[in-house]
Amino acid sequence: MSEKSKFSGCPATGIGSMPGGDAREAAKTVTGSFADGQGMPYLAELPARGPGADMIGRSVGLLVEMYGHVEPSGWRISDRPGRDTRRARSWLGEDLDALEEFTQGYEGLLKVQAVGPWTLAAALELRGGEAMLADAGACRDLAGSLAEGLRAHLAEVRRRMPGANVVLQLDEPSLTAVLLGRVRSASGYRTYRAVDRQVVESALRDVLAAAGEGGTTLVHSCAPEVPVALLRRAGADGVSLDFSLLTEREEEAIGEAVEGGTQLFLGVVPSTDAASEGLSDPGGSVMGVRTLWRRLGLNPGTLAESVTITPSCGLAGASPAYARTALAHSARAARSLADNPE
């Protein structure tokens, strides 16, 4: 199917965040781990540097005609760009410089990540301290600003790395909570009303469209109950999730996604050192994926082309040594899946 070919040559990748604060070291790791067709390098995020380098701050820095600053409670909307917004943009520039250095002459898939409109709306505060999620008009404005900012960002990445086929990943860990009315208010005593699924889908579609006609997109969530069918309807070419959180309730949607040509990015490699026992066996890491395929009655021959192996979530909480190990292990586990799908 033509949809599958969008991710051909992408057996493995990482989610986005990396440990430490050295942009060159992170770029060297993500490009080196996936060299020679072993997977898809990506623009690393380094939240250890502080506010502005975190996933919310980085995405605030991408917004157009909308700004943010840091309060003790988190990021809040501002009238004008201040120190925090400028810092976020500066670190993004530093990360792009480093990635450009290590991708000279690179041709292939290259991933950039941004927080999606609904996780951003749940995390960003209005001036009164409530989440943007409480204001439907603010959510629409936020999605529009994010889409415009992403178009400019992707154009910049394509200009710097002209041989790359740039993939846009939206991180939406709060999406399920938004859909089910589980996002807590600032006081913590109540939750915001669930957002209508069609409204959620429409905003996601608009932001994913920032990738441009023919652009390649995926949505990542390391939360339970990822709404796979909704993400597919919104136009995502791939869905990225923590494999350990999958339940039988979601298996039908997973099977339909595979048969419809949606790429699955399955997080099977632990994202922290503490949970890293058993990394000596790449085949063991993907045993559950093979089992799922058999249970769904899917053709084992489609496994390697339909699945991309990743860590379970970002690697910011790992040691630098383990982060390198986790990415290398993801590539080895993907090879095991291709060599022995059954």
Side-chain angles (χ1 to χ4, degrees):
M1 296 177 192
S2 60
E3 290 92 338
K4 290 181 182 176
S5 66
K6 285 192 170 189
F7 289 104
S8 62
C10 182
T13 191
I15 300 302
S17 67
M18 295 288 287
D22 187 330
R24 288 187 78 254
E25 185 60 34
K28 182 180 178 183
T29 297
V30 298
T31 53
S33 298
F34 301 120
D36 305 319
Q38 295 191 81
M40 177 168 58
Y42 55 95
L43 179 65
E45 299 158 355
L46 302 172
R49 292 180 297 198
D54 59 301
M55 60 188 279
I56 299 298
R58 165 157 290 184
S59 296
V60 168
L62 292 172
L63 298 175
V64 173
E65 295 182 2
M66 192 177 280
Y67 313 103
H69 67 275
V70 179
E71 294 278 340
S73 53
W75 282 89
R76 184 170 292 183
I77 289 300
S78 304
D79 292 321
R80 59 184 65 86
R83 179 183 60 190
D84 297 325
T85 301
R86 287 194 294 271
R87 187 191 297 126
R89 291 173 177 172
S90 173
W91 272 328
L92 175 58
E94 187 180 307
D95 294 339
L96 281 169
D97 289 343
L99 186 63
E100 184 178 6
E101 178 185 345
F102 286 98
T103 52
Q104 292 294 312
Y106 174 75
E107 294 182 353
L109 295 168
L110 177 75
K111 181 163 68 73
V112 299
Q113 305 83 220
V115 176
W118 295 108
T119 296
L120 208 52
L124 270 178
E125 295 177 356
L126 296 164
R127 290 171 185 84
E130 289 295 338
M132 292 190 86
L133 196 60
D135 184 327
C139 289
R140 280 194 300 273
D141 291 345
L142 178 64
S145 174
L146 179 62
E148 192 173 340
L150 282 171
R151 280 191 286 272
H153 177 47
L154 294 170
E156 170 76 355
V157 176
R158 288 167 180 142
R159 183 186 66 76
R160 286 171 174 256
M161 299 110 185
N165 178 2
V166 181
V167 174
L168 171 61
Q169 172 182 307
L170 295 183
D171 292 315
E172 281 284 15
S174 299
L175 181 60
T176 301
V178 167
L179 287 165
L180 298 178
R182 293 176 181 168
V183 177
R184 295 208 163 271
S185 65
S187 67
Y189 293 123
R190 62 184 178 84
T191 55
Y192 295 106
R193 192 182 325 184
V195 181
D196 181 85
R197 296 181 81 86
Q198 288 185 312
V199 173
V200 168
E201 184 182 322
S202 176
L204 280 168
R205 183 180 296 109
D206 291 346
V207 177
L208 287 168
E213 191 173 346
T216 305
T217 60
L218 71 141
V219 178
H220 164 73
S221 173
C222 47
E225 302 173 73
V226 178
V228 174
L230 183 150
L231 297 177
R232 292 178 61 216
R233 289 195 304 271
D237 299 306
V239 176
S240 172
L241 41 81
D242 180 343
F243 185 73
S244 70
L245 299 179
L246 269 183
T247 66
E248 284 187 27
R249 282 200 309 276
E250 292 140 286
E251 288 188 1
E252 184 179 347
I254 292 289
E256 289 175 357
V258 171
E259 290 176 341
T262 301
Q263 187 83 0
L264 294 181
F265 288 70
L266 299 180
V268 301
V269 178
S271 56
T272 59
D273 309 51
S276 61
E277 287 182 24
L279 275 201
S280 57
D281 178 18
S285 295
V286 290
M287 193 181 304
V289 181
R290 295 189 184 99
T291 303
L292 173 65
W293 231 247
R294 283 197 297 273
R295 209 159 53 234
L296 293 175
L298 296 168
N299 177 3
T302 65
L303 244 179
E305 67 189 37
S306 301
V307 169
T308 297
I309 297 299
T310 73
S312 58
C313 207
L315 295 167
S319 67
Y322 178 71
R324 289 191 293 272
T325 297
L327 294 181
H329 187 83
S330 296
R332 286 197 298 272
R335 244 187 343 267
S336 167
L337 205 57
D339 294 343
N340 182 20
E342 299 187 68

